[in-house]
Amino acid sequence: MVKPRVLVTRRWPAAVEAKIADRFDVVLSNNDIALKPAEFRQAFKDFDAVLPTVTDKIGPDAMELAKPRTKLLANYGVGYTHIDMPSAEALGMVVTNTPDVLSECTADLAMTLMLMAARRAGEGERELRGGRWTGWRPTHLVGTKVSGKTLGIVGFGRIGQEMARRAHHGFGMDIIVHNRSRVAPDVLAKYNAVQVNDLDDLLPRCDFVSLHCPGGIENRHLINSRRLDLMRPNAFLINTARGEVINEFDLVQALTFETIGGAALDVFDGEPRIAQTLLDSDRLVMLPHLGSATAEAREAMGFRVIDNLQAFFDGQTPPDRVN
Ligand code: DGY
């Protein structure tokens, strides 16, 4: 039987590349550079499935062609707002993602950021490595206690729930949730969480606010100057969702004028470009989009893509179909 021809756009963990090469007629990436729109258009003519990832921008320009050979876009990553879904729909392409397998690791990283921001870990490490540490003293780099505080979680999908589990059961935090749909009472009960209908009601009640909602147009600048003003003056904002959810200009203003306590970001609007004003802010912890960056999660994400491919080419509905 002829194996389906598939294109992997970036380097993947070795074990996953080996498995995919075993099962499919695959072209792997050797330069690990994101494809340009014209390269995507060509790929859609040449391959039965294209396997992009979250930093591959597949906008309408990348999908301007009449009759693609590609029938499946099996994304490596849970977020898929980088894919223009109406165009995929119009071209008859099925789109899949890789949920679940990265939820724990992404929540672990959100916890890392929350603790780093509250306990001034980034400042401390910069001071120590810069040779400026003069020793222990009662007033040195005093931060904010995390245990027992109130955490607001915006977006209560799988990652948001893992965040709640860690914060509530590990750190004794009270959990307030905002989510676009109603969360089942038994799910809220697991974390003794309360759901509010309006994000504006959550913000003033929290010591920490962690974003776990999707990105895209719908949530672009969900956190803007008006909403930052609703936060407590000593509260912290954590973002492991998507950069565009925060208006970064407004965040810098809030940090500069100390209307919030601090922030920690794993994702950026227009990443990997980082606004100089963000780099200049000492009240900000920043990591380079590391949410799912563990060997375990990255392999599991790849194997999940293969499950979707296999199901699709076996004539079944892929388990993680999103359209
Ligand atoms: C995703 O999967 O959407 C993350 O941002 C990368 O792990």
Side-chain angles (χ1 to χ4, degrees), residues 15-32:
V16 187
E17 288 188 345
K19 187 165 178 182
I20 203 164
D22 192 45
R23 297 209 186 162
F24 297 92
D25 174 10
V26 69
V27 173
L28 298 170
S29 166
N30 45 31
N31 60 10
D32 206 13

Side-chain angles (χ1 to χ4, degrees), residues 47-270:
F47 293 89
D48 298 305
V50 171
L51 282 39
T53 189
V54 299
T55 42
D56 286 318
K57 181 101 193 83
I58 310 183
D61 52 345
M63 295 180 128
E64 249 173 35
L65 74 163
K67 278 207 181 76
R69 170 170 171 181
T70 300
K71 290 280 170 282
L72 175 67
L73 272 179
N75 186 55
Y76 179 105
V78 67
Y80 53 90
T81 49
H82 55 287
I83 299 173
D84 184 65
M85 294 301 282
S87 300
E89 203 75 51
L91 292 176
M93 291 180 189
V94 168
V95 180
T96 60
N97 69 345
T98 59
D100 299 324
V101 289
L102 47 64
S103 304
E104 290 181 304
C105 291
T106 305
D108 288 349
L109 194 93
M111 288 299 296
T112 306
L113 284 176
M114 180 166 75
L115 291 163
M116 284 181 77
R119 300 303 303 273
R120 305 178 68 179
E123 286 173 78
E125 214 213 15
R126 285 195 289 280
E127 181 185 278
L128 184 147
R129 286 182 182 276
R132 297 184 301 277
W133 184 31
T134 56
W136 192 93
R137 55 202 189 276
T139 56
H140 179 225
L141 281 182
V142 172
T144 300
K145 184 176 176 180
V146 172
S147 296
K149 297 285 181 67
T150 299
L151 170 65
I153 298 183
V154 180
F156 209 55
R158 301 169 184 90
I159 301 172
Q161 289 175 37
E162 287 299 334
M163 182 69 176
R165 185 190 314 284
R166 284 153 179 71
H168 181 67
H169 295 293
F171 289 78
M173 299 180 87
D174 291 330
I175 309 292
I176 306 180
V177 166
H178 178 262
N179 192 56
R180 62 189 157 179
S181 58
R182 195 92 228 123
V183 180
D186 59 312
V187 174
L188 291 171
K190 285 190 205 167
Y191 322 103
N192 200 21
V194 176
Q195 181 171 11
V196 293
N197 292 329
D198 192 340
L199 179 55
D200 292 4
D201 294 335
L202 174 147
L203 297 169
R205 292 166 60 182
C206 297
D207 304 299
F208 298 89
V209 175
S210 190
L211 305 176
H212 298 282
C213 54
I217 289 288
E218 208 181 310
N219 286 333
R220 183 166 179 79
H221 294 179
L222 183 73
I223 304 296
N224 52 19
S225 61
R226 187 185 69 74
R227 291 214 164 99
L228 286 160
D229 279 347
L230 293 174
M231 288 177 65
R232 293 180 176 174
N234 49 4
F236 292 83
L237 179 66
I238 320 299
N239 191 9
T240 52
R242 281 292 180 265
E244 67 264 20
V245 178
I246 298 179
N247 181 323
E248 289 177 353
F249 178 84
D250 293 353
L251 175 64
V252 169
Q253 299 288 307
L255 293 168
T256 307
F257 295 104
E258 302 189 10
T259 63
I260 63 169
L265 310 176
D266 186 45
V267 285
F268 302 86
D269 208 3

